[in-house]
Amino acid sequence: MMSDSDYMQYALDLAARGLYSTTPNPRVGCVIVNDHQIVGIGWHQISGGPHAEVFAIEQAGEKTRGATFYVTLEPCAHFGATPPCVDAVIAAGAKRVVIAMDDPNPLVCGKGIAKLQAAGIQTDVGICETEARYLNRGFISRMTRDRPWVCVKSGMSLDGRTAMANGESQWITGPSARDDVQSLRASHCAILSGIGTVLSDDPLLNVRLAQIQRQPLRVIVDSQLRLLSEAKLLSQDASQQGGKVLIATCVEQADKQKALEKKGASVVVLPPDQNNQVDLWVLMELLAKKYTINNVLVEAGATLIGALTQANLVDEYIIYLAPKLLGDNARGLLHLPKIQHLKEAIGLTIKDVKMIGQDLRITALCL
């Protein structure tokens, strides 16, 4: 016989099917069980579309009466693009609702649960909560911290080098790791890079997977507005294959800005930090509030990664570790000049380690 945790894990697996398509909404799954039998399943498939509970209720039909609902996120209790799911659950005749976590959205938080309880429905909250929170870490971050969840991605050698001294880096990791990066990009709302990386590598920063329809916003930190209008990510092909381009700068250059905007980019002038660089905290708040960005994937060089790390803006590192040695003169992952003693080291928690082809993918969370 399956337990509450088993059914909730199934609901989480369903929710993960919306990994690439629900943003800026959360990823949600629902399983309906009646007399120890699964009678309906559903997941939120696309932003603006029906929620998980609606799909599961439609599939279950009359078998929702007296059933137990397993939902990975508290049913919504407000009118948005769709009606409140909590009303549909109540109307379906649910006897019990098991919820992995409450909704961090202030419009919902606790209200859906309270409405279920007021209708006499038993509610249990917290089953598989850790897994549910990680699945929607970006949505939670935007709702509770007014900034996206920031993940740094990098490929490096076994001795911690990301490029040769001359900047050569193609390819440190193998083809399987590079394919995996495409899926990683697709799961994020935005890809963030620095002007140094763009000038040296001229990347597209897009998702090259045929089944993916949504392209992440491409954000370039360019404090002195040095981006060339001939850059690949501003080409006509790139505009068709990639997401929109946002350039964050802290200088006013009307002619240059007009030329970049003519190529389809948006340019935003932000206040400088103490080093006369783009204030990264202000940028993250802008991405969350104006562009509803949940998750940012950083693909950048040592300078920008170091600046984000020093600003305490990095939440997660995903490192593809290749079985190669590049030597002392090769470039490292990030620039952290302030660390002089071991006691000042930045602690991380290893969440996952997995082989991807011949490379090792390490996921580490900031403490």
Side-chain angles (χ1 to χ4, degrees):
M1 183 181 298
M2 294 178 67
S3 65
D4 283 346
S5 294
D6 293 331
Y7 288 124
M8 187 61 77
Q9 187 58 60
Y10 184 26
L12 286 165
D13 292 343
L14 292 170
R17 296 185 185 182
L19 192 65
Y20 308 127
S21 58
T22 66
T23 185
N25 293 347
R27 300 141 181 167
V28 184
C30 177
V31 173
I32 302 175
V33 177
N34 200 333
D35 196 22
H36 307 295
Q37 298 292 321
I38 295 175
V39 296
I41 63 171
W43 65 94
H44 185 38
Q45 298 178 12
I46 189 168
S47 177
H51 290 187
E53 297 92 328
V54 173
F55 285 115
I57 289 170
E58 287 180 353
Q59 186 179 102
E62 288 300 315
K63 293 181 180 179
T64 58
R65 301 291 166 184
T68 297
F69 283 57
Y70 294 86
V71 189
T72 59
L73 187 70
E74 174 184 1
C76 63
H78 74 291
F79 281 91
T82 60
C85 289
V86 67
D87 292 345
V89 173
I90 293 171
K95 181 179 180 181
R96 178 178 177 236
V97 178
V98 182
I99 301 167
M101 61 170 286
D102 56 8
D103 193 326
N105 186 342
L107 294 173
V108 178
C109 189
K111 296 176 182 177
I113 295 171
K115 199 164 186 179
L116 291 170
Q117 292 173 341
I121 298 173
Q122 178 186 345
T123 59
D124 296 287
V125 183
I127 304 296
C128 300
E129 181 176 1
T130 299
E131 296 90 333
R133 295 184 69 84
Y134 186 72
L135 180 64
N136 281 311
R137 56 198 181 281
F139 179 74
I140 295 169
S141 179
R142 180 166 65 86
M143 288 294 164
T144 62
R145 303 190 298 181
D146 290 326
R147 72 169 181 84
W149 178 275
V150 177
C151 174
V152 168
K153 183 279 299 180
S154 187
M156 65 168 57
S157 63
L158 198 60
D159 54 345
R161 305 299 175 175
T162 61
M164 303 307 296
N166 63 3
E168 180 188 359
S169 62
Q170 296 181 349
W171 297 102
I172 293 176
T173 56
S176 295
R178 298 197 294 274
D179 289 344
D180 193 65
V181 168
Q182 293 300 313
S183 297
L184 185 63
R185 285 181 178 180
S187 68
H188 284 73
C189 309
I191 300 173
L192 178 73
S193 193
I195 184 60
T197 297
V198 174
L199 290 177
S200 62
D201 296 346
D202 202 14
L204 284 171
L205 299 174
N206 62 352
V207 177
R208 294 182 286 277
L209 295 175
Q211 69 273 27
I212 299 300
Q213 301 299 317
R214 181 193 61 83
Q215 287 283 343
L217 175 69
R218 294 174 288 180
V219 184
I220 309 302
V221 178
D222 184 6
S223 297
Q224 304 306 313
L225 205 58
R226 295 187 290 144
L227 182 65
L228 304 176
S229 57
E230 294 80 17
K232 282 184 181 179
L233 56 80
L234 296 179
S235 68
Q236 183 63 32
D237 287 344
S239 66
Q240 293 173 351
Q241 298 172 10
K244 294 181 179 179
V245 176
L246 175 67
I247 303 167
T249 186
C250 48
V251 296
E252 294 276 3
Q253 293 185 18
D255 291 344
K256 185 68 178 292
Q257 181 174 334
K258 185 177 180 180
L260 292 170
E261 290 175 342
K262 188 176 181 180
K263 296 298 292 274
S266 297
V267 179
V268 58
V269 180
L270 300 178
D273 62 13
Q274 60 186 6
N275 299 314
N276 205 34
Q277 303 296 311
V278 167
D279 189 313
L280 297 173
W281 273 94
V282 174
L283 173 59
M284 292 303 167
E285 290 174 357
L286 176 76
L287 291 178
K289 294 179 179 179
K290 182 175 181 179
Y291 294 91
T292 59
I293 298 296
N294 291 338
N295 304 71
V296 171
L297 181 66
V298 179
E299 298 192 35
T303 300
L304 181 54
I305 294 176
L308 288 163
T309 300
Q310 289 184 76
N312 295 317
L313 280 168
V314 180
D315 299 297
E316 183 175 20
Y317 296 86
I318 295 182
I319 306 298
Y320 294 87
L321 198 61
K324 298 176 181 177
L325 301 173
L326 300 187
D328 290 345
N329 292 331
R331 300 179 183 182
L333 171 65
L334 71 172
H335 185 53
L336 283 178
K338 292 185 178 180
I339 294 182
Q340 302 294 331
H341 304 284
L342 189 58
K343 64 181 180 181
E344 299 170 339
I346 297 172
L348 304 172
T349 297
I350 301 297
K351 176 174 174 54
D352 182 64
V353 178
K354 183 178 181 180
M355 290 298 301
I356 306 292
Q358 294 300 308
D359 302 313
L360 195 65
R361 187 185 68 195
I362 302 173
T363 302
L365 303 179
C366 296
L367 299 176

